[in-house]
Amino acid sequence: MSAPGRRRTAVQWAGLLLCWSLALAMVSAAAEALFHPGAAWWPLAWPVAWYLTPVAALAWAVLRLREKAAGRPPCDDQEDLPAEDWDQAA
């Protein structure tokens, strides 16, 4: 979790979207397997999270590669390591 008062980066937002869409996909798949919901909208709604998961994974991977290529630490305002040691630690 990020520190209070710190803005989230696009990579962090994409990572959150990835985690939550995968969690929602697993919950909806479990509901489909266990309860067989009979609502008319259910067959259209439950696979949406499964479609969103690879899109979020691709977005996270591209954003993370761009962040790595820029050569800066993921959290610039709260560094544990000095900038010259970051490349070696990574």
Side-chain angles (χ1 to χ4, degrees), residues 47-58:
V48 169
W50 286 110
Y51 298 138
L52 184 59
T53 299
V55 172
L58 182 62

